[in-house]
Amino acid sequence: MTRARETFGGGVAVITGAAAGIGAGLARHAHRLGMTVVLVDVDAQAAAALRDELPGSIDVVCDVRDADAMAALAERVYRDVGSVRLLVNNAGVEQFGYLWDTPVANWNRVMDINVSGVFHGVRAFLPRMIAAQTRAWVWNLSSIGGVAVVPLQTPYIVSKHAVLALTECLRLEVELAGHADLIQVQAVLPGAVKSNIFETAGGVDPAADGTDVAAAESQRAAMLDIKADAMDPIEAAEVVFDQAADGAFYLLTQPDYVGSAMAERAEVLRSRTPPQLRTTRRFDPAEH
């Protein structure tokens, strides 16, 4: 924690999806490290409550799907708060059900928040972070689901694979552009961390002919069972901050568990093994 305090303390942190789950854990720990935290969320009441809990923090209602709103947020932060030391693109949502049963609106919601929201955050803040010519960090929230395949959660899994690829490419682009000495890009891959993401996840349309509602809700129930033993968000945040301060690129809330999923994914690709249904072990993509 000492290294993390030395690295991040006194700086400004902007965290999207900050009002719940791992976002709130990251916000609380950032505040504990001495950061000024900008709490960005669409849930005004929850964000305001967290602001009251964290003296000196700032709550902002903003939808990460809105590129113009994110640009305005960046302008406001740099004008009224100061240069951003840490940008955390965390906002995310879930979806259950067979892919062919997934409503188009639900697919778009997942992609717009989980993937485009990260892009909008990077596009709004990164040029200003570069221009400030001070050390800064960009964290994009992928998931253990970013290195796994899970049926009945396809939109979410796709989005987290995309965020991981986006972050890996972004790191290379920052280096190519000559900014690697100042800008540290890192990918956060949480395992199971307590949140309400499963309760608020999209499902399928029960009125549509042939839709398998039971399959979607069975997967929701399975994820809720995993949630019962999930990691505390503040504990997860502490692990992430410590790894980030040490300079790791892949920030894992549960290094052994998430690391085993990464190793398995690498072996699957190396051996070109087709995806297989699991009967005894499930990788949990619950992250915030």
Side-chain angles (χ1 to χ4, degrees):
M1 184 169 172
T2 299
R3 177 69 181 275
R5 187 182 299 278
E6 293 172 351
T7 302
F8 297 104
V12 175
V14 175
I15 304 174
T16 68
I22 195 171
L26 292 167
R28 289 185 172 103
H29 191 61
H31 183 267
R32 186 165 63 178
L33 292 174
M35 302 193 79
T36 298
V37 187
V38 181
L39 308 165
V40 183
D41 209 285
V42 293
D43 187 334
Q45 184 175 359
L50 188 56
R51 175 207 63 207
D52 292 343
E53 177 189 330
L54 306 178
S57 64
I58 301 155
D59 60 313
V60 180
V61 177
C62 184
D63 189 336
V64 298
R65 294 175 290 185
D66 187 333
D68 291 338
M70 288 295 288
L73 171 66
E75 181 178 358
R76 173 184 172 185
V77 170
Y78 272 81
R79 181 188 67 231
D80 299 339
V81 185
S83 295
V84 174
R85 183 170 300 173
L86 174 63
L87 170 66
V88 184
N89 291 305
N90 164 71
V93 294
E94 252 281 18
Q95 170 65 33
F96 296 119
Y98 286 111
L99 184 61
W100 55 87
D101 286 340
T102 301
V104 171
N106 291 22
W107 169 271
N108 290 338
R109 174 175 177 258
V110 172
M111 296 303 152
D112 288 347
I113 295 173
N114 294 13
V115 183
S116 294
V118 174
F119 166 64
H120 294 154
V122 169
R123 194 167 187 273
F125 281 91
L126 186 55
R128 294 175 184 272
M129 298 169 84
I130 292 171
Q133 288 296 293
T134 57
R135 291 193 73 198
W137 285 256
V138 176
W139 297 354
N140 296 331
L141 269 287
S142 179
S143 166
I144 191 172
V147 293
V149 291
V150 182
L152 300 173
Q153 293 173 244
T154 300
Y156 178 84
I157 296 299
V158 168
S159 74
K160 293 305 180 178
H161 277 253
V163 169
L164 183 57
L166 181 156
T167 308
E168 291 168 332
C169 292
L170 179 63
R171 180 182 175 93
L172 295 178
E173 291 184 358
V174 166
E175 181 178 355
L176 180 64
H179 305 303
D181 289 342
L182 289 176
I183 307 297
Q184 184 81 28
V185 177
Q186 294 165 311
V188 184
L189 283 78
V193 176
K194 290 187 185 297
S195 75
N196 63 353
I197 192 172
F198 299 136
E199 291 89 338
T200 60
V204 298
D205 184 359
D209 290 342
T211 298
D212 195 334
V213 176
E217 293 310 310
S218 174
Q219 187 68 5
R220 187 193 307 273
M223 293 296 100
L224 288 171
D225 286 344
I226 288 174
K227 173 185 172 179
D229 297 318
M231 191 176 194
D232 179 83
I234 297 179
E235 180 184 352
E238 184 172 355
V239 172
V240 168
F241 268 96
D242 286 349
Q243 291 175 2
D246 287 339
F249 173 72
Y250 298 103
L251 311 179
L252 317 179
T253 58
Q254 297 104 318
D256 291 342
Y257 175 52
V258 180
S260 70
M262 297 173 76
E264 180 170 327
R265 180 64 175 169
E267 176 58 25
V268 164
L269 294 175
R270 187 202 65 78
S271 63
R272 290 174 282 181
T273 303
Q276 298 177 355
L277 284 173
R278 296 179 178 277
T279 56
T280 59
R281 182 180 176 216
R282 183 203 304 272
F283 279 131
D284 165 39
E287 48 95 357
H288 43 262

